[in-house]
Amino acid sequence: MEILPKDKLQHLVDKSVEILEMVLNNQNISEQERAKIAARILEIENQRSNKNSSQSDHKSFNQQNKSQISDDWKQWMTESKLRNYPDISIIQEMVKRGINEQIAVAELSHLTANPYFKASNNMMQLFRKLESMLEVRHQISQLSPNSSYIERRSRISKEEFLAKYYATNTPVVITNMMTKWQALSLWTPEYFKTNYGDADVEIQHNRNSDAQYEINKARHKRELKLSEYVDMVVNGGDTNDYYMVASNRNFQRDKIKNLLDDINFYPDFLDSSNTKGQIKLWFGPGGTITPVHHDQTNLISAQVYGRKLWRIISPDQTPFLYNYQTVFSKVDLENPDYYRYPLFKKVKIIEVILEPGEMIFIPIGWWHQVKSLNVSISLSLMNFIFPNYYKY
């Protein structure tokens, strides 16, 4: 629409006022009609005044709202709405936590009208569909008599392993397949110190200072001699403060990579020519914990020394695990907070204790938390002869 010049606009206003005065003074118009015209003019003026006042109040209220609703609360409201929590429940919870009810109502109204939220809600419908399919699959899987435990097998052929476990995404504990490993009889903390003590190794350190120590693992890297680390492990007692975890590249260091000579690779399962970055050494005291996560490849964990408690959760239960970033869950299995994470009450956990000389196959996507019950040495093996690269 073309905007009139200021002088022409003022002329038009003056002319309109003049015409209006003529109408009101016209003797041919009854007093009743003039009163109606005057009332209508007053009504329009009041509406304009109220609109300006409302805009001013809304602006003032938004400023007050902005100062009283934190980003954390806004995120909580958004997640609650996306999870289909009733509006009244959201408002009541905010009021209970000290937020003014009028502010809570207005913020919730503003949220639901936001086009970003509407787009997020549409995407959420697709996720709910996938989640419902996973939940149905989980309910069906519970009908199996094997749903509450992981099968233990003494040696498995290539064909059976591929058909029954690898291709079906099914975990299994395998025994009697490490009998020819020299590592099983040689690897102890003392053996590491005596034969590889001058090797530089990388560990995770000062983990107890950070609840997100795995997500923030780059901050906790420390290099030291293996002999020094062995002394920490042997003399420090049970602790989660330091641990040689899989993210290290210790097997790529010249002074320690010869440890791989103590392992017999099974050509039916594993590719001995593909070891770079595909085999990881774990070594630490009792009490070390790898928090709930899933891996992005299939893997075998081989227990060489000590014992570990594995808590394993089917990928069908992913919707209950509050997986907000990377591959980790927010839930601490050692002390689950059901108030903050109520859906976790639905999770079915399978527990397995892995003894020296035993392997466990963890298929891609299966959640697990691992705790060392005493000083432990183990390996992660990912160099399968079967396809094992997947894009996440």
Side-chain angles (χ1 to χ4, degrees), residues 61 65 68-69 77 87-88 90-109:
F61 182 79
N65 191 7
Q68 296 190 34
I69 298 290
M77 292 174 69
D87 288 359
I88 186 64
I90 297 173
I91 293 168
Q92 287 176 346
E93 182 64 25
M94 296 177 71
V95 171
K96 187 167 68 175
R97 299 300 182 93
I99 295 177
N100 180 276
E101 182 176 358
Q102 184 182 8
I103 293 176
V105 171
E107 186 65 33
L108 192 60
S109 176

Side-chain angles (χ1 to χ4, degrees), residues 119-132:
S120 299
N121 196 42
N122 289 340
M123 293 300 297
M124 195 65 182
Q125 301 305 317
L126 299 177
F127 286 121
R128 286 197 187 102
K129 179 68 174 181
L130 295 175
E131 286 186 346
S132 66

Side-chain angles (χ1 to χ4, degrees), residues 56-69:
S56 176
D57 290 345
H58 184 67
K59 182 177 180 181
S60 174
F61 182 79
N62 277 346
Q63 291 174 343
Q64 181 186 23
N65 191 7
K66 184 176 180 180
S67 66
Q68 296 190 34
I69 298 290

Side-chain angles (χ1 to χ4, degrees), residues 151-347:
E151 189 177 6
R152 302 180 74 91
R153 296 291 307 276
S154 175
R155 304 190 66 87
I156 308 176
S157 69
K158 169 187 174 181
E159 293 75 19
E160 186 179 12
F161 176 71
L162 177 60
K164 190 172 181 179
Y165 302 103
Y166 200 94
T168 62
N169 198 243
T170 304
V172 62
V173 173
I174 310 172
T175 63
N176 299 318
M177 290 193 72
M178 296 171 60
T179 53
K180 294 183 179 180
W181 282 29
Q182 288 184 302
L184 199 57
S185 60
L186 293 177
W187 288 11
T188 64
E190 293 75 18
Y191 177 80
F192 281 180
K193 182 177 181 178
T194 301
N195 295 275
Y196 299 93
D198 63 339
D200 293 315
V201 294
E202 178 186 302
I203 67 167
Q204 295 289 310
H205 189 258
N206 200 27
R207 288 157 41 115
N208 288 341
S209 66
D210 183 1
Q212 302 293 321
Y213 54 83
E214 277 290 350
I215 293 175
N216 302 324
K217 59 188 175 185
R219 304 176 190 174
H220 299 280
K221 287 183 179 180
R222 178 184 170 186
E223 287 210 358
L224 70 173
K225 296 295 183 183
L226 182 54
S227 59
E228 181 183 350
Y229 181 59
V230 168
D231 289 340
M232 291 170 60
V233 170
V234 173
N235 301 322
D238 287 4
T239 180
N240 191 38
D241 200 40
Y242 42 85
Y243 195 13
M244 184 187 291
V245 300
S247 60
N248 67 73
R249 297 185 178 183
N250 290 331
F251 273 145
Q252 296 178 37
R253 300 170 186 249
D254 289 337
K255 289 188 177 182
I256 201 172
K257 65 181 181 181
N258 289 339
L259 279 171
L260 291 176
D261 295 337
D262 299 331
I263 300 169
N264 290 87
F265 291 102
Y266 305 110
D268 282 355
F269 286 12
L270 304 171
D271 182 0
S272 59
S273 66
N274 180 27
T275 61
K276 186 176 181 180
Q278 300 298 304
I279 302 177
K280 305 291 185 178
L281 176 63
W282 301 76
F283 173 36
T288 54
I289 295 172
T290 303
V292 186
H293 70 287
H294 71 82
D295 290 292
Q296 296 173 310
T297 62
N298 297 287
L299 67 87
I300 280 180
S301 179
Q303 191 66 29
V304 180
Y305 182 89
R307 302 158 70 240
K308 281 185 174 179
L309 170 64
W310 286 73
R311 294 186 175 112
I312 303 169
I313 301 169
S314 163
D316 294 347
Q317 301 179 76
T318 297
F320 312 139
L321 283 159
Y322 299 89
N323 174 218
Y324 293 149
Q325 56 181 320
T326 66
V327 296
F328 289 91
S329 165
K330 283 191 138 336
V331 183
D332 176 11
L333 258 62
E334 295 296 305
N335 186 29
D337 186 342
Y338 295 117
Y339 178 78
R340 294 184 66 186
Y341 309 115
L343 294 176
F344 190 72
K345 292 180 181 178
K346 299 182 179 182
V347 170

